[in-house]
Amino acid sequence: MRTHAMGEMTVKEIREYLKTNKTIIIPYGVVEQHGYHLPVSMDIHNAEVPAYVLAEKLDCIVAPPLNYCFSGGQLPGTINIRPTSFCAVMCDIVESLASQGFENILIYPGHGGSESLAQLKEALRILKWLNASLEKVMIMILRRGDHWRAPEDPRMSGGADFHAGKSETSLMLAYRNHLVQMENLELDEPALAERMRHDQDAYQICTTLSGQPQEISTTRQRKEIQVGVMGYPELASAEYGKFAVESAISAMAEMVKKAIADADENRRTGNRIEVKSPVLVVEEGSDAVAIKA
């Protein structure tokens, strides 16, 4: 295979590829604030880099990334797309690829936002529910944290590395070094920066007019946030970036290889593995909505 990048292939090359391999990876990211040392395209690279490492291990191709979804951040450069819009586009992409003959569609998020991810899982479940032609298509959402945990770093003092911190900065130092400006590294004021190391939603402020749980809250980014880093970027290194990506994707690749083999066998035999169907539960007396198995 000349390239793992579908976007660099011709129609003839893709047609030939589909004769022997029906697997494709769709990376998606977001354009959002990542401090003063990383570009707003951080999460696009965070999707593409691991996707191509995985593609090499699976010997498959990678679709051009979907570069927009919902961030929630509101600093300059951040572009927010409603989760419903993002899900509609992703479902169209999946249906288009499936209609061409792709049977294993692997979605790789570069952005960890729960809003888009939760709605995407439900949107794809309903898509398969309503479109009978997708029954034999295996759609997987792959997240690095599902298959690998970063080793504990005592320098973090019990905090977490949520956003623009050690992990993301290390990935960029390893694979996109020319886009990192460590000399411009800054954090928000110390108390706020420390709070966001323990609560990734601490950048939000939610208010209502009535105080009643039935009211939909108004969510804004706190005005005091000017940088938007949630972690420990000062601990980053290119060596750690390469180690983290390779370790996580190696574990992921083994799981995916087995999943593809099992799916191929069950397509052939007609067998299906019954699982509990997620049910949308709205908790009475609360504004919380959760998808529970």
Side-chain angles (χ1 to χ4, degrees):
M1 187 162 53
R2 180 178 62 84
T3 177
H4 292 288
M6 177 185 175
E8 298 175 3
M9 298 170 72
T10 66
V11 170
K12 182 178 180 181
E13 287 176 313
I14 297 170
R15 185 178 290 129
E16 290 300 311
Y17 172 84
L18 279 166
K19 290 179 180 179
T20 59
N21 196 327
K22 300 184 185 300
T23 299
I24 190 167
I25 304 171
I26 309 172
Y28 79 81
V30 70
V31 179
E32 70 166 347
Q33 59 203 48
H34 273 83
Y36 296 168
H37 67 293
L38 293 178
V40 294
S41 61
M42 170 66 233
D43 284 352
I44 298 170
H45 306 288
N46 201 25
E48 278 197 302
V49 167
Y52 277 101
V53 174
L54 180 61
E56 290 179 3
K57 295 182 184 302
L58 300 179
D59 196 26
C60 71
I61 62 175
V62 179
L66 179 57
N67 291 342
Y68 299 98
C69 67
F70 181 77
S71 161
Q74 295 176 317
L75 294 181
T78 300
I79 299 175
N80 282 294
I81 301 296
R82 290 178 178 84
T84 50
S85 301
F86 160 73
C87 292
V89 172
M90 185 61 80
C91 286
D92 285 349
I93 292 171
V94 167
E95 281 190 308
S96 180
L97 291 171
S99 70
Q100 297 170 34
F102 288 96
E103 294 181 345
N104 306 306
I105 299 176
L106 313 176
I107 299 173
Y108 193 97
H111 174 60
S114 58
E115 298 87 357
S116 292
L117 187 61
Q119 291 203 29
L120 178 60
K121 289 179 179 179
E122 188 66 359
L124 291 170
R125 186 177 77 93
I126 292 174
L127 179 69
K128 292 198 71 177
W129 193 342
L130 297 178
N131 187 340
S133 68
L134 296 177
E135 183 178 351
K136 294 184 178 181
V137 177
M138 182 178 70
I139 305 169
M140 303 185 80
I141 298 177
L142 305 174
R143 303 187 72 193
R144 186 171 67 176
D146 292 341
H147 309 280
W148 181 78
R149 289 289 183 268
E152 292 186 9
D153 189 332
R155 296 173 295 176
M156 292 186 182
S157 304
D161 195 58
F162 292 120
H163 175 82
K166 174 185 175 182
S167 179
E168 292 190 326
T169 304
S170 294
L171 181 146
M172 293 296 278
L173 287 171
Y175 297 95
R176 301 287 190 271
N177 182 61
H178 64 290
L179 296 175
V180 183
Q181 301 181 59
M182 292 302 287
E183 68 277 11
N184 292 328
L185 174 62
E186 290 188 32
L187 300 177
D188 284 293
E189 63 91 15
L192 181 57
E194 183 62 20
R195 182 179 174 187
M196 291 192 293
R197 288 167 173 159
H198 295 269
D199 178 6
Q200 62 182 324
D201 293 326
Y203 76 98
Q204 302 175 11
I205 181 168
C206 299
T207 61
T208 63
L209 296 169
S210 69
Q212 296 300 319
Q214 291 81 4
E215 182 183 348
I216 303 299
S217 63
T218 297
T219 304
R220 295 288 184 266
Q221 180 169 278
R222 293 182 181 276
K223 292 181 179 180
E224 57 267 36
I225 294 197
Q226 296 298 313
V227 182
V229 173
M230 305 177 189
Y232 301 83
E234 69 277 8
L235 304 180
S237 69
E239 293 74 21
Y240 179 76
K242 291 179 180 178
F243 162 75
V245 170
E246 181 61 33
S247 299
I249 300 305
S250 292
M252 181 184 294
E254 293 307 308
M255 181 279 292
V256 174
K257 287 177 183 177
K258 183 180 186 305
I260 290 173
D262 290 345
D264 285 343
E265 175 65 14
N266 288 330
R267 290 186 190 105
R268 185 185 65 81
T269 61
N271 291 338
R272 293 294 181 270
I273 301 168
E274 186 172 352
V275 296
K276 289 184 179 180
S277 178
V279 177
L280 186 65
V281 176
V282 180
E283 297 176 2
E284 186 175 354
S286 169
D287 60 358
V289 178
I291 297 172
K292 299 181 180 180

